[in-house]
Amino acid sequence: MKKAYAFAADGTEESELLCVVDALKRADVEVKIISVSGEIFTSSHGVRIVADGVITGNETDADLIFVPGGMPGSAALGSSETLVSLIKTQLENGKRVAAICAAPAVVLGAHGFLRGKRATCFSGFENDTADFTGERVVTDGLVTTAKGLGAALELGIELVRLLVGDEKADEIAEKIALM
Protein backbone atom coordinates (compact mmCIF):
# COMPACT_ATOMS: atom_id res chain seq x y z
CA MET A 1 0.00 0.00 0.00
CA LYS A 2 1.26 3.47 -0.91
CA LYS A 3 1.62 6.05 1.86
CA ALA A 4 1.34 9.84 1.90
CA TYR A 5 1.79 12.62 4.43
CA ALA A 6 -0.29 15.76 3.99
CA PHE A 7 1.28 18.55 6.03
CA ALA A 8 -0.83 21.38 7.40
CA ALA A 9 -0.66 24.40 9.69
CA ASP A 10 -2.87 27.08 11.12
CA GLY A 11 -4.04 28.95 8.02
CA THR A 12 -3.96 25.99 5.61
CA GLU A 13 -6.66 26.08 2.92
CA GLU A 14 -8.91 23.27 4.15
CA SER A 15 -10.53 22.40 0.83
CA GLU A 16 -7.19 22.02 -0.95
CA LEU A 17 -6.00 19.76 1.85
CA LEU A 18 -9.11 17.63 2.03
CA CYS A 19 -9.81 17.30 -1.72
CA VAL A 20 -6.36 15.81 -2.27
CA VAL A 21 -6.56 13.63 0.85
CA ASP A 22 -9.99 12.38 -0.29
CA ALA A 23 -8.77 11.40 -3.77
CA LEU A 24 -5.77 9.56 -2.32
CA LYS A 25 -7.90 7.71 0.24
CA ARG A 26 -10.33 6.63 -2.50
CA ALA A 27 -7.31 4.99 -4.16
CA ASP A 28 -6.46 3.15 -0.92
CA VAL A 29 -3.39 5.28 -0.30
CA GLU A 30 -2.68 5.49 3.43
CA VAL A 31 -2.78 9.21 4.21
CA LYS A 32 -1.82 10.92 7.45
CA ILE A 33 -2.47 14.63 8.05
CA ILE A 34 0.52 15.97 9.97
CA SER A 35 0.38 19.42 11.54
CA VAL A 36 3.25 21.80 12.21
CA SER A 37 0.94 23.89 14.47
CA GLY A 38 -0.32 21.35 16.99
CA GLU A 39 -2.73 18.43 17.01
CA ILE A 40 -5.71 20.72 16.37
CA PHE A 41 -5.17 23.45 13.80
CA THR A 42 -7.47 26.11 12.39
CA SER A 43 -7.76 26.43 8.63
CA SER A 44 -7.67 29.64 6.61
CA HIS A 45 -11.48 29.82 6.86
CA GLY A 46 -11.76 29.09 10.57
CA VAL A 47 -12.43 25.34 10.37
CA ARG A 48 -10.84 23.43 13.26
CA ILE A 49 -9.23 20.19 12.08
CA VAL A 50 -7.74 17.38 14.16
CA ALA A 51 -4.49 16.14 12.64
CA ASP A 52 -3.39 12.52 12.73
CA GLY A 53 -0.15 13.69 14.31
CA VAL A 54 2.27 16.53 14.90
CA ILE A 55 5.47 16.75 12.86
CA THR A 56 8.43 14.90 14.38
CA GLY A 57 10.93 14.71 11.53
CA ASN A 58 10.51 10.94 11.38
CA GLU A 59 7.95 11.12 8.54
CA THR A 60 10.41 9.64 6.03
CA ASP A 61 8.54 6.48 5.01
CA ALA A 62 6.00 7.96 2.58
CA ASP A 63 5.78 7.72 -1.18
CA LEU A 64 4.41 11.29 -1.25
CA ILE A 65 4.66 14.48 0.77
CA PHE A 66 1.82 16.89 0.00
CA VAL A 67 1.78 20.57 1.01
CA PRO A 68 -1.51 22.48 0.60
CA GLY A 69 -1.79 26.22 0.15
CA GLY A 70 -3.62 28.95 1.97
CA MET A 71 -2.18 31.86 3.85
CA PRO A 72 -0.74 32.15 6.37
CA GLY A 73 -0.57 28.34 6.32
CA SER A 74 1.90 28.16 3.42
CA ALA A 75 4.19 30.61 5.18
CA ALA A 76 4.05 28.53 8.37
CA LEU A 77 4.83 25.35 6.42
CA GLY A 78 7.70 27.06 4.60
CA SER A 79 9.09 28.24 7.94
CA SER A 80 9.19 24.72 9.38
CA GLU A 81 12.83 23.64 9.22
CA THR A 82 11.71 20.10 9.99
CA LEU A 83 9.31 20.03 7.01
CA VAL A 84 11.89 21.58 4.68
CA SER A 85 14.37 18.90 5.75
CA LEU A 86 11.78 16.17 5.12
CA ILE A 87 11.08 17.51 1.63
CA LYS A 88 14.80 17.58 0.86
CA THR A 89 15.20 13.98 2.04
CA GLN A 90 12.07 12.92 0.12
CA LEU A 91 13.45 14.24 -3.17
CA GLU A 92 16.96 12.92 -2.51
CA ASN A 93 15.40 9.48 -2.02
CA GLY A 94 13.57 9.67 -5.36
CA LYS A 95 10.13 10.07 -3.82
CA ARG A 96 7.31 12.41 -4.80
CA VAL A 97 6.41 15.87 -3.49
CA ALA A 98 3.29 17.89 -4.36
CA ALA A 99 2.10 21.40 -3.53
CA ILE A 100 -0.84 23.62 -4.47
CA CYS A 101 -1.79 27.31 -4.51
CA ALA A 102 0.76 29.46 -2.68
CA ALA A 103 2.76 26.46 -1.44
CA PRO A 104 4.67 25.75 -4.68
CA ALA A 105 6.28 29.19 -4.46
CA VAL A 106 6.24 29.84 -0.71
CA VAL A 107 7.36 26.35 0.39
CA LEU A 108 9.03 24.56 -2.53
CA GLY A 109 10.36 27.51 -4.52
CA ALA A 110 11.58 29.45 -1.51
CA HIS A 111 13.84 26.54 -0.58
CA GLY A 112 15.18 25.81 -4.05
CA PHE A 113 13.20 22.64 -4.76
CA LEU A 114 11.80 24.05 -8.02
CA ARG A 115 15.08 25.20 -9.63
CA GLY A 116 15.08 24.20 -13.29
CA LYS A 117 11.53 22.82 -13.08
CA ARG A 118 8.23 23.69 -14.67
CA ALA A 119 5.62 24.43 -12.04
CA THR A 120 2.39 26.28 -11.38
CA CYS A 121 0.98 28.20 -8.42
CA PHE A 122 -1.72 30.66 -7.49
CA SER A 123 -1.51 33.85 -9.56
CA GLY A 124 0.58 36.50 -7.87
CA PHE A 125 2.90 34.09 -6.05
CA GLU A 126 5.11 33.38 -9.07
CA ASN A 127 8.78 34.16 -8.57
CA ASP A 128 12.08 33.38 -10.27
CA THR A 129 12.55 30.01 -8.54
CA ALA A 130 10.90 28.03 -11.36
CA ASP A 131 9.36 28.23 -14.81
CA PHE A 132 5.83 29.01 -13.60
CA THR A 133 3.47 28.10 -16.44
CA GLY A 134 0.00 29.12 -15.28
CA GLU A 135 -1.30 25.61 -16.07
CA ARG A 136 -3.74 24.00 -13.65
CA VAL A 137 -1.57 20.97 -12.73
CA VAL A 138 2.07 20.36 -13.67
CA THR A 139 4.26 17.34 -12.99
CA ASP A 140 7.99 17.77 -13.61
CA GLY A 141 9.98 14.79 -12.45
CA LEU A 142 9.18 14.04 -8.81
CA VAL A 143 7.40 17.36 -8.20
CA THR A 144 3.73 18.00 -8.93
CA THR A 145 2.19 21.45 -8.45
CA ALA A 146 -1.30 22.86 -8.88
CA LYS A 147 -2.67 26.37 -9.36
CA GLY A 148 -5.25 26.59 -6.60
CA LEU A 149 -8.46 25.32 -5.05
CA GLY A 150 -10.20 24.98 -8.42
CA ALA A 151 -7.55 22.44 -9.44
CA ALA A 152 -7.45 20.50 -6.15
CA LEU A 153 -9.42 17.49 -7.39
CA GLU A 154 -7.34 17.42 -10.59
CA LEU A 155 -4.21 17.40 -8.43
CA GLY A 156 -5.61 14.55 -6.37
CA ILE A 157 -6.35 12.51 -9.50
CA GLU A 158 -2.87 13.27 -10.92
CA LEU A 159 -1.29 12.04 -7.68
CA VAL A 160 -3.40 8.87 -7.78
CA ARG A 161 -2.26 8.36 -11.37
CA LEU A 162 1.38 8.76 -10.39
CA LEU A 163 1.19 6.59 -7.26
CA VAL A 164 -1.35 3.91 -8.16
CA GLY A 165 -1.87 4.04 -11.93
CA ASP A 166 -4.08 5.22 -14.77
CA GLU A 167 -6.87 2.71 -14.25
CA LYS A 168 -7.53 3.71 -10.62
CA ALA A 169 -7.19 7.42 -11.43
CA ASP A 170 -9.71 7.16 -14.26
CA GLU A 171 -12.09 5.12 -12.06
CA ILE A 172 -12.01 7.72 -9.28
CA ALA A 173 -12.32 10.65 -11.70
CA GLU A 174 -15.43 9.04 -13.18
CA LYS A 175 -16.96 8.28 -9.75
CA ILE A 176 -16.56 11.87 -8.57
CA ALA A 177 -17.87 13.22 -11.90
CA LEU A 178 -14.57 14.87 -12.79
CA MET A 179 -14.65 13.18 -16.20
Side-chain angles (χ1 to χ4, degrees):
M1 174 184 278
K2 298 291 184 176
K3 184 173 186 175
Y5 289 116
F7 287 90
D10 285 330
T12 289
E13 210 307 330
E14 66 275 10
S15 294
E16 292 170 356
L17 170 68
L18 296 176
C19 282
V20 172
V21 167
D22 179 273
L24 292 169
K25 284 185 172 275
R26 287 173 189 257
D28 295 321
V29 174
E30 179 186 349
V31 183
K32 300 288 184 198
I33 298 173
I34 305 296
S35 174
V36 302
S37 300
E39 186 180 344
I40 298 173
F41 62 96
T42 303
S43 75
S44 61
H45 296 100
V47 177
R48 292 174 49 89
I49 299 171
V50 178
D52 295 306
V54 177
I55 193 168
T56 65
N58 295 322
E59 297 86 2
T60 59
D61 59 336
D63 301 287
L64 169 71
I65 286 178
F66 167 58
V67 185
M71 291 300 276
S74 291
L77 292 169
S79 295
S80 169
E81 292 178 19
T82 305
L83 177 57
V84 171
S85 178
L86 286 168
I87 293 169
K88 181 177 187 278
T89 299
Q90 184 84 355
L91 292 170
E92 287 173 347
N93 290 333
K95 296 180 180 180
R96 297 199 168 280
V97 172
I100 187 170
C101 194
V106 175
V107 180
L108 301 183
H111 294 285
F113 300 121
L114 296 179
R115 274 203 188 85
K117 297 210 172 287
R118 292 178 64 249
T120 192
C121 68
F122 192 77
S123 297
F125 283 93
E126 302 91 343
N127 54 42
D128 62 0
T129 63
D131 176 15
F132 286 104
T133 68
E135 295 172 65
R136 292 174 62 78
V137 177
V138 175
T139 296
D140 188 340
L142 297 171
V143 179
T144 302
T145 54
K147 192 164 184 69
L149 174 57
L153 283 173
E154 292 169 57
L155 173 60
I157 296 301
E158 173 72 358
L159 295 174
V160 169
R161 189 173 309 286
L162 293 167
L163 292 173
V164 181
D166 291 338
E167 187 176 327
K168 188 55 128 177
D170 290 345
E171 174 189 318
I172 293 169
E174 187 174 325
K175 282 184 179 178
I176 63 173
L178 194 58
M179 292 179 68

